[in-house]
Amino acid sequence: MSRLTHFDQQGQAHMVDVADKPATRRVAVAGGRIEMLPETLAIIEAGTAKKGDVLGIARIAGIQAAKKTSDLIPLCHPLALTRVALEFLVEKGAAGGSAVACTATVETVGPTGVEMEALTAVQVALLTIYDMCKAVDRGMTITGVRLLEKQGGKSGHYVAGGLSS
């Protein structure tokens, strides 16, 4: 197992030096979901939430979060992102379970990856859905947030469940 890169030889936390790393195209995809009552999902789909267009606002929140990741995660590098895209999928379960799945794709050309930006985008988008719908459903659950895929850099192409290429 590799050593943790955010600690120096003395065990002190530090920001990783990426100055000598080549700038390459980096892509990260993260996903997660928020489970809710069927009635809550119906409000989201109908566009009748008191605070407005839930998924539209969650999309903007996720984009903003990706751009601000280095302000939130202390050892992240500030990055010039070239693309942030969020997709939402409404899931209606046969047993009455309902959810909204969120996938964030983040890209840059630089010396370090965008995994944290993609993960942050998903978390904040899902938290925004919670915030906008909590008046009708405080029991919503955010679950399954994880990195789904990463491309670029010397560690290669990662796909959840294993490495490829």
Side-chain angles (χ1 to χ4, degrees), residues 20-94:
D20 292 332
K21 292 173 74 177
T24 60
R25 181 173 178 263
R26 313 289 184 124
V27 180
V29 181
R33 59 198 305 266
I34 184 166
E35 299 168 356
M36 62 193 65
L37 296 171
E39 299 83 2
T40 308
L41 186 59
I43 291 168
I44 291 171
E45 287 185 297
T48 57
K50 287 185 179 181
K51 293 185 178 183
D53 174 11
V54 174
L55 299 183
I57 294 168
R59 179 175 284 109
I60 297 300
I63 292 168
Q64 283 183 301
K67 293 167 38 176
K68 293 291 190 178
T69 299
S70 66
D71 291 339
L72 300 169
I73 310 295
L75 301 177
C76 280
H77 293 84
L79 301 176
L81 303 179
T82 57
R83 177 175 177 244
V84 180
L86 279 85
E87 299 294 328
F88 297 99
L89 176 65
V90 171
E91 300 176 352
K92 296 179 185 177

Side-chain angles (χ1 to χ4, degrees), residues 124-135:
V124 170
L126 295 174
L127 285 168
T128 300
I129 293 170
Y130 186 94
D131 178 55
M132 294 187 73
C133 298
K134 69 181 183 260

